Amino acid sequence: MDTDHLPQTEGHPLSTLFTPLKLRSLEIPNRVWMSPMCMYSAASEGPDAGAPTDFHLAHLADRAAGGAGLVMVEATGVRPDGRISPWDLGLWNSRQQEAFKRVTSAISAHGAVPAIQLAHAGRKASTDKPWLGGQYVPESEGGWPTVGPGTEAFPGYPAPVELTADGIRQLVRDFAASAERALAAGFQVAEVHGAHGYLLHSFLSPATNHRTDEYGGSPENRMRFALEVVEAVREVWPEHLPVFFRTSATDWLTENEADEREGWTGEDTVLLAKELQARGVDLLDVSTGGLVADALIPVGPNYQVPFAERVRGATGLPTGAVGAITEPAQAEEIVASGRADAVFLGRQLLREPYWAHRAAEELGADSHWPEQYGYAVGRPRVASGA
C-alpha cells in the first residue's frame, strides 16, 4: 500500500484508520466502527419485550473491548410493529430505556462511542428469526400487520396496509420520541435507518412508492417522509452530538440493463445527501440493496465503497463505507485515500471481535486495550500472580 499520503511522525507513516474523527463536539477515537446487525435475541413478549438482554450486553461490550471506535446497536424499532421480528430490540417505553443504560455504560467503559440505529421495518416487518427460515410471523403467533407506502408486498410476505398521511405524521413523532429515549439511555449518536427495503427506503424508491399524494411521485415527494423524520430527530437530539442516516445508495435495478424496473440510484443518493446535510445530518452510512428480493448485486470487496466516495466528493458530507471490508490494509486504503471517513464492519466483527486490535498492530498504530487485558499485550503488571 502506498503510504506517502499518510500523516508522518519522525519519518514514519501513521495509520489514518486509527486517527480520531470529530463530528460536532463528539470525538470518535478511531475509524473502525461496528455496523448495526440484528441479533434476534430480545424478549418477544411480556413487560420486557424489545429490551436488550444479557446477550446484547456481552455482545456489544465485547466489540467495544475489541477496539471499535463506535459501536452501533442494531435496528431498534420505534414502535412495537416497527420491529423486523418479535425478537428485535425496541425503544418505545421507559423499561427499554432503562435496560439500554447498562449497554451504553459498558460500551463507554471500554472507550467506544455508543450509537443506536432507530428503525421501522415497514412491509418487511413481523418475520421469524433467519435461522428458523425468516418467514412472516402471523398475528396468531405473535406477529402483526405491516405497513408500507402502498399495498405491494415484499415477495413471500402478505400485503401491507397503505399508510395514511396521519399515520406518517405519527411515525415521525415516534422516531423523535425514540431518539429522546436513546439520549436518556446514554447514546451519543442516533442513526435513522433509511436502507435495505425497510419503511423509509420503500418510500424513497420509485420501485415501491407509487403514491399520488405529497409523499409520492417526484423525488422531492418521495424524500419527504425520510426528511421529516430526520428533522424531528435532529430537533430533539443535542446540537453538540451527531445524527447519522443509513441509506441504500442503489436498489441495483437501474444499473442492470436487463432489468426494466426503475429504482433508487447513486444519483438519487447524492440529491438525498444534500437534503440530509441541510437538515443537520452529520454522516451518511452508505449501504445498498434490500428493496427487492431478486436484484443482481455484484458482491465483492469494496463493492459499495464507490457510492460512499461519490457522496463524499459531491457534497463534502462525511460518509461511512460498509460491505465486504475484511482486511486492515483494505480498510486503511479506503479511509486514507479519502473514499470514506470511516468503515463499518459487520460480519467480520462477528467472526473476529478483536479485529481492530489486530488491524492496529498490522498498521503500526495504537489501539485501546482494556486495562484488565494487560497480560495479553505485554503491559507491566504491578501485582504478582498468574
Side-chain angles (χ1 to χ4, degrees):
M1 181 182 67
D2 179 11
T3 59
D4 290 345
H5 57 285
L6 299 182
Q8 305 281 317
T9 299
E10 296 181 355
H12 298 288
L14 298 177
S15 167
T16 305
L17 193 63
F18 287 92
T19 57
L21 178 63
K22 189 172 183 178
L23 297 171
R24 297 191 181 240
S25 297
L26 179 66
E27 185 170 274
I28 304 169
N30 64 48
R31 319 297 183 94
V32 180
W33 299 351
M34 179 180 171
S35 195
M37 294 173 284
C38 290
M39 294 288 105
Y40 307 95
S41 297
S44 62
E45 56 188 7
D48 290 319
T53 62
D54 286 346
F55 172 87
H56 295 97
L57 178 64
H59 166 67
L60 295 164
D62 198 37
R63 273 64 192 177
L70 177 145
V71 174
M72 181 80 72
V73 172
E74 65 195 68
T76 300
V78 299
R79 49 187 292 149
D81 59 2
R83 292 170 293 167
I84 297 169
S85 84
W87 300 273
D88 276 5
L89 294 174
L91 192 47
W92 63 80
N93 64 39
S94 58
R95 198 175 182 99
Q96 297 156 346
Q97 176 182 311
E98 287 302 307
F100 270 117
K101 288 182 178 179
R102 286 201 312 156
V103 173
T104 58
S105 293
I107 293 170
S108 299
H110 291 301
V113 170
I116 189 169
Q117 184 183 73
L118 302 176
H120 191 295
R123 66 179 193 156
K124 294 176 72 176
S126 191
T127 62
D128 207 344
K129 299 175 183 180
W131 55 86
L132 296 178
Q135 300 302 308
Y136 177 72
V137 176
E139 290 183 74
S140 61
E141 298 177 17
W144 52 84
T146 61
V147 296
T151 59
E152 181 181 349
F154 189 79
Y157 298 176
V161 175
E162 181 175 329
L163 271 172
T164 64
D166 285 343
I168 290 171
R169 285 188 282 271
Q170 179 58 53
L171 280 165
V172 171
R173 292 191 290 270
D174 291 335
F175 270 92
S178 284
E180 288 183 299
R181 292 192 179 280
L183 181 66
F187 289 100
Q188 294 179 285
V189 174
E191 176 171 275
V192 175
H193 196 352
H196 300 159
Y198 298 121
L199 187 61
L200 296 183
H201 183 192
S202 69
F203 269 78
L204 289 169
S205 177
T208 46
N209 185 347
H210 308 297
R211 298 172 72 102
T212 57
D213 64 359
E214 68 268 34
Y215 292 99
S218 67
E220 292 76 16
N221 281 356
R222 285 186 279 109
M223 287 190 287
R224 189 182 308 277
F225 186 11
L227 295 177
E228 287 179 348
V229 167
V230 165
E231 288 172 348
V233 170
R234 184 73 268 180
E235 184 175 351
V236 302
W237 202 248
E239 182 67 23
H240 68 281
L241 293 176
V243 170
F244 295 179
F245 187 93
R246 175 164 260 195
T247 183
S248 280
T250 177
D251 295 333
W252 296 108
L253 296 178
T254 307
E255 291 82 356
N256 181 5
E257 295 181 359
D259 198 321
E260 296 182 354
R261 292 171 292 182
E262 181 185 7
W264 184 260
T265 68
E267 182 178 351
D268 294 324
T269 300
V270 170
L271 294 176
L272 175 63
K274 292 177 180 178
E275 296 297 329
L276 292 170
Q277 189 174 29
R279 288 161 175 81
V281 166
D282 301 284
L283 181 137
L284 195 67
D285 177 0
V286 185
S287 188
T288 64
L291 186 79
V292 298
D294 59 345
L296 298 176
I297 303 177
V299 177
N302 289 5
Y303 75 106
Q304 296 176 146
V305 174
F307 297 100
E309 182 178 14
R310 180 176 181 181
V311 167
R312 193 175 188 271
T315 68
L317 180 66
T319 61
V322 62
I325 300 170
T326 60
E327 296 302 324
Q330 175 192 12
E332 176 70 31
E333 189 279 330
I334 292 168
V335 175
S337 64
R339 305 182 74 189
D341 295 88
V343 292
F344 281 97
L345 271 66
R347 292 175 177 86
Q348 187 61 32
L349 287 188
L350 297 183
R351 292 186 288 261
E352 189 181 354
Y354 285 62
W355 185 94
H357 291 310
R358 175 170 70 86
E361 183 176 357
E362 291 187 14
L363 297 170
D366 292 326
S367 61
H368 180 75
W369 279 93
E371 292 179 355
Q372 298 90 335
Y373 292 7
Y375 282 131
V377 292
R379 289 180 183 160
R381 300 288 291 256
V382 175
S384 60

